[in-house]
Amino acid sequence: MLLGGVVFLLMMVFGLIMRVAQGDLISLDPEIFYLLLTAHGAGMVGSAALSGAAILWFFSARHLNLRSSIYIAFLGLFLAGVVLILGSIFIGGYGGAWTFLFPLPAMSGGLWEAWAGVMFCVGYLLIGVGFLLYYLELGLKIASRYNGLLGGLGWRYLFANNSTDVPPPTIVAASSVLVFNTIGIVFGAAVLAASIVNLLLPSFEVDPLLAKNAIYFFGHVFINATIYMAITAVYEILPDYTGRPWKSTKLFIGAWAAVVVFVQAVYFHHLLQDVNMPAWTMAVGQIVSYASGVPLIGVTVFSLAVYIKGSGLKWDLPISLLTLGVVGWGLGSIPAMVDGMVSVNKLMHNTQWVPGHFHTYLLLGEVAMAFGFAAWLVRDKAVTILSNLDRLVFRAYVFGGAGFVLIFLWSGASSIPRRWAVHYEQWQLQSQLASGFALIVVLATLVLVVRYVAGLARRSQ
């Protein structure tokens, strides 16, 4: 969690620098901008995955006999991948964005050499192998404890009405995530391997459309998995505050069964701009984009409200951040569903509307959950209310984060494009305002990280 928190903070600083540059408040070489953009994307996705994996492992270990050696191996592979990725960017000059979209790693226009693209892809592969090892351990222990993976998913209870040994919510979530994210990582690993061979042997041909589809399937599933891993903190921590256990009801298990399908099928909304894709993929993309919001908004957000209502819980920093994470996640899905409409997507997908929606469900969603979990780990149990500092930090994070993402959505609705290093003068006001909100978020995050370090030091004494 310390690694994740530090990387979150550093990547936020990179994001601030880019927004300041787009607002023409500083002069930044576009080549440097795209290095920062690549590092920011890969770093934020990576730290979200690392923190989500830490949360899921921590709470799964309450119900399963997990081997710490596997987690250490996962962490080692993850960090080795990070070293290669950072080397490819800041030594090799790789600036092809975190999606490594084929054939961009091999077509740099002279900005980086093939070895930098290879290093970036190998770094991703190492992280992927680490996650596959992580999920293999979870899968083996879940299958052993709950009589197979279907038992861990709760499907026997859902479809066969077998109520013996119903898994707790954390195990249902863990089983679901390991199913869909393993599939996504395998797709990503396949296209990464093909890209590496193409970089080393340009005569090796790769179908660009197939590669693009595999990359976006992997990317969409992977980033969503980070949030679905982090939500287990809410399932496990909230009952400590409310005295009400989060139960694995049929509705809950059914919602997670829908997630296993929707989180993969909703990827089709990434194809809405591809005129050479079959028309049915566009229909599926639009329909599932709307349907995918039902398990989240209709079950998780609503259930959270029900669990809190009338519980008399005392609000401290951990529970405030965790609640913000669920609300931010739900709110972030709304502009995503809007973008899932074909008629809207044609105009909005390559604008800042899209960074608006995913910054909402990450900055105000997964990241908030991660910091809520971190604050809970080092909390002083004698303190049951928000201190003045905690209240200030929380409000600053909410105010800065909400303002930051709303500027993105406003910019997208104004047709300001995404990924442009240099903005026209008439676009710079939004970037300048976003820079101010981003600075507030960075300062609040700095306090959260320092507070966590101080908590670790206090607990070690």
Side-chain angles (χ1 to χ4, degrees):
M1 293 307 298
L2 179 59
L3 287 169
V6 170
V7 176
F8 275 139
L9 179 60
L10 180 60
M11 294 305 107
M12 288 177 182
V13 171
F14 285 179
L16 172 60
I17 293 172
M18 288 187 289
R19 289 304 265 162
V20 169
Q22 288 174 333
D24 199 31
L25 298 173
I26 63 170
S27 177
L28 185 68
D29 189 320
E31 184 177 342
I32 303 299
F33 178 94
Y34 287 108
L35 294 182
L36 294 178
L37 180 66
T38 302
H40 176 79
M44 288 304 271
V45 172
S47 49
L50 181 61
S51 59
I55 293 169
L56 181 63
W57 186 277
F58 182 90
F59 290 118
S60 294
R62 287 183 169 183
H63 311 282
L64 305 169
N65 184 25
L66 298 174
R67 291 174 289 181
S68 59
S69 59
I70 298 296
Y71 189 84
I72 293 171
F74 154 73
L75 187 59
L77 287 166
F78 193 100
L79 294 177
V82 168
V83 169
L84 290 179
I85 291 168
L86 292 177
S88 71
I89 296 171
F90 294 110
I91 297 176
Y94 178 80
W98 81 275
T99 51
F100 60 95
L101 188 62
F102 182 87
L104 188 55
M107 298 178 66
S108 68
L111 291 179
W112 64 83
E113 297 181 10
W115 66 263
V118 170
M119 182 181 285
F120 188 87
C121 293
V122 171
Y124 267 27
L125 272 178
L126 288 177
I127 293 174
V129 170
F131 265 101
L132 290 178
L133 183 65
Y134 172 103
Y135 289 132
L136 178 62
E137 173 69 1
L138 274 179
L140 288 173
K141 294 303 172 65
I142 290 172
S144 175
R145 170 64 181 81
Y146 294 96
N147 194 26
L149 193 55
L150 290 179
L153 290 163
W155 288 7
R156 290 195 182 93
Y157 176 49
L158 180 64
F159 298 112
N161 204 30
N162 184 349
S163 59
T164 59
D165 205 16
V166 177
T170 292
I171 297 302
V172 174
S175 302
S176 302
V177 170
L178 78 87
V179 169
F180 64 72
N181 208 22
T182 296
I183 295 171
I185 289 171
V186 168
F187 271 86
V191 73
L192 280 165
S195 296
I196 291 170
V197 175
N198 174 262
L199 283 162
L200 297 175
L201 299 171
S203 60
F204 179 80
E205 295 184 359
V206 179
D207 185 307
L209 183 60
L210 178 61
K212 189 272 302 180
N213 287 342
I215 288 169
Y216 276 115
F217 178 76
F218 153 74
H220 176 91
V221 170
F222 190 83
I223 190 58
N224 276 271
T226 67
I227 312 175
Y228 286 112
M229 291 190 289
I231 193 64
T232 55
V234 176
Y235 298 156
E236 295 279 346
I237 294 174
L238 187 65
D240 293 344
Y241 287 77
T242 64
R244 301 170 178 175
W246 202 295
K247 299 178 181 179
S248 293
T249 63
K250 283 191 175 182
L251 178 61
F252 177 87
I253 293 172
W256 272 99
V259 165
V260 172
V261 177
F262 286 163
V263 80
Q264 298 177 78
V266 78
Y267 130 85
F268 284 112
H269 71 208
H270 289 284
L271 311 181
L272 300 182
Q273 303 233 342
D274 295 341
V275 295
N276 54 346
M277 291 298 295
W280 67 265
T281 61
M282 297 188 180
V284 170
Q286 178 161 324
I287 293 169
V288 179
S289 290
Y290 276 81
S292 63
V294 174
L296 168 58
I297 299 175
V299 177
T300 300
V301 177
F302 179 76
S303 296
L304 178 70
V306 170
Y307 274 84
I308 290 176
K309 180 176 171 53
S311 66
L313 68 81
K314 296 180 179 179
W315 293 89
D316 61 3
L317 186 60
I319 200 65
S320 298
L321 286 167
L322 289 170
T323 302
L324 170 64
V326 176
V327 174
W329 183 22
L331 291 175
S333 69
I334 296 173
M337 288 188 284
V338 172
D339 187 56
M341 295 175 61
V342 176
S343 57
V344 174
N345 191 276
K346 287 167 60 179
L347 297 174
M348 304 279 276
H349 195 75
N350 286 318
T351 72
Q352 291 192 354
W353 182 271
V354 173
H357 90 70
F358 64 67
H359 275 85
T360 304
Y361 67 61
L362 285 176
L363 181 60
L364 299 178
E366 200 282 339
V367 178
M369 291 183 207
F371 280 122
F373 170 70
W376 175 80
L377 282 176
V378 298
R379 74 196 187 286
D380 183 349
K381 295 182 180 180
V383 178
T384 58
I385 59 173
L386 280 166
S387 67
N388 290 333
L389 176 60
D390 289 345
R391 187 176 290 107
L392 176 62
V393 171
F394 177 74
R395 289 177 177 176
Y397 189 90
V398 174
F399 176 74
F404 184 72
V405 299
L406 285 172
I407 296 295
F408 263 137
L409 294 173
W410 172 30
S411 299
S414 303
S415 296
I416 297 178
R418 59 197 287 205
R419 304 193 186 100
W420 281 34
V422 179
H423 280 194
Y424 291 121
E425 184 178 352
Q426 56 265 40
W427 300 345
Q428 290 173 2
L429 173 62
Q430 286 96 324
S431 298
Q432 292 166 359
L433 292 173
S435 300
F437 287 115
L439 179 60
I440 294 172
V441 175
V442 169
L443 294 175
T445 302
L446 176 61
V447 175
L448 289 173
V449 173
V450 171
R451 186 183 186 280
Y452 181 65
V453 173
L456 289 177
R458 184 176 62 250
R459 292 191 59 163
S460 66
Q461 293 175 354

